[in-house]
Amino acid sequence: MEKKNIHKDHRKRVKEQYMKNGIDSMADHNILELLLFYGIPYKDTNPIAHELIEKYHDINGVLDAPVRELVKLDGIGENAAVLIKLVHDIAHLYRDNAVNSKVNLASSERLYDFVRMKFLGETREIVYMISLDAHGRLKHCIKVADGTPTSVVSDNRSLVELALRFDVTNAVIAHNHPNGFATPSQADIAATQAIAKLFSTVSINLVDHVIAAEDEIFSFAMSKKYSSFLG
């Protein structure tokens, strides 16, 4: 016997409001309520949406929350948590696809701004390889490692294989220190030297290694002490 959805009429009204007036006409909890219709078929998602906003303060906070945290909330199952993260990731992909063909990172300021945006809201340490053409235009931004809030494991040889697969000639490595300062650790310094050495064997130029931490940026290329490590 098919389960009856007692919230059907309410869901219809919320959906019609969105279809008629768009997302700007809706409060944050109503946007989440509508989204959760598609991950929670037979429950009233309004109180769940309110609880999410109360816990994470706004839409951005909810979308940034990891799946493992979302599923701890009463009423949020794995399907709903994955749906929330999928929206987050699709939004980032849409933004990246929309701007990548127009992004020129030849200046250090533009590069640092780009890196800051990549790590906005991230709570885990992540490594990206940014591929540039000869004029500094962005070709690819590839996530190569995804770790914990304090550490990330990146296989340097796998990094070279990935660079060759994407036909990288000029690369910037970027990673974040979500719970610390942008100052490079001894592991960061050693990794930079190892990557530069491996890249040089396949004619790839390591342009920079950039570390982001909140509002701080550290650049190996701009450091008198470490710029020679790039090769």
Side-chain angles (χ1 to χ4, degrees):
M1 182 176 178
E2 184 179 352
K3 190 172 182 180
K4 184 178 180 181
N5 186 351
I6 61 174
H7 305 290
K8 182 177 179 181
D9 290 341
H10 172 69
R11 290 180 174 222
K12 182 179 179 181
R13 289 193 295 272
V14 174
K15 182 179 177 181
E16 286 176 347
Q17 178 190 354
Y18 168 68
M19 295 296 290
K20 182 179 180 180
N21 300 314
I23 202 170
D24 292 336
S25 69
M26 304 173 73
D28 280 4
H29 71 273
N30 290 132
I31 297 169
L32 283 175
E33 179 185 12
L34 174 59
L35 175 63
L36 291 172
F37 289 170
Y38 302 97
I40 306 174
Y42 302 111
K43 285 185 180 179
D44 181 2
T45 60
N46 185 274
I48 300 172
H50 276 285
E51 186 176 355
L52 284 166
I53 294 297
E54 183 176 348
K55 181 175 177 62
Y56 296 108
H57 307 299
D58 56 23
I59 283 280
N60 285 17
V62 176
L63 294 180
D64 287 338
V67 169
R68 65 179 180 275
E69 293 296 327
L70 291 169
V71 295
K72 294 178 182 178
L73 271 72
D74 187 33
I76 296 286
E78 184 179 76
N79 285 348
V82 169
L83 177 64
I84 290 171
K85 291 307 298 181
L86 182 62
V87 169
H88 171 277
D89 292 343
I90 289 173
H92 277 258
L93 182 62
Y94 178 89
R95 179 202 65 196
D96 290 349
N97 287 344
V99 303
N100 276 4
S101 62
K102 302 175 183 177
V103 172
N104 189 305
L105 303 179
S107 76
S108 56
E109 291 80 7
R110 290 177 184 173
L111 174 62
Y112 303 157
D113 286 344
F114 179 82
V115 169
R116 286 190 185 95
M117 288 302 298
K118 290 302 296 183
F119 294 117
L120 187 65
E122 290 291 354
T123 58
R124 296 165 300 173
E125 193 165 327
I126 294 173
V127 179
Y128 286 100
M129 178 168 54
I130 300 167
S131 172
L132 307 174
D133 69 12
H135 302 286
R137 291 188 294 259
L138 179 65
K139 293 172 62 181
H140 305 286
C141 183
I142 310 151
K143 183 185 288 187
V144 297
D146 193 341
T148 69
T150 56
S151 65
V152 67
V153 177
S154 179
D155 183 333
N156 290 343
R157 293 195 178 277
S158 296
L159 184 63
V160 171
E161 292 173 2
L162 191 64
L164 292 173
R165 188 188 317 160
F166 281 88
D167 194 26
V168 176
T169 54
N170 299 291
V172 174
I173 300 300
H175 82 279
N176 61 328
H177 289 173
N179 294 329
F181 299 99
T183 306
S185 66
Q186 288 302 313
D188 295 331
I189 296 166
T192 303
Q193 291 177 296
I195 293 168
K197 184 176 180 179
L198 282 171
F199 275 3
S200 68
T201 64
V202 290
S203 301
I204 297 174
N205 178 34
L206 182 59
V207 177
D208 202 351
H209 180 179
V210 179
I211 303 172
E214 295 185 351
D215 294 330
E216 293 185 5
I217 285 286
F218 180 88
S219 162
F220 276 76
M222 298 299 292
S223 167
K224 291 181 180 179
K225 185 176 181 180
Y226 298 122
S227 59
S228 62
F229 292 10
L230 299 173

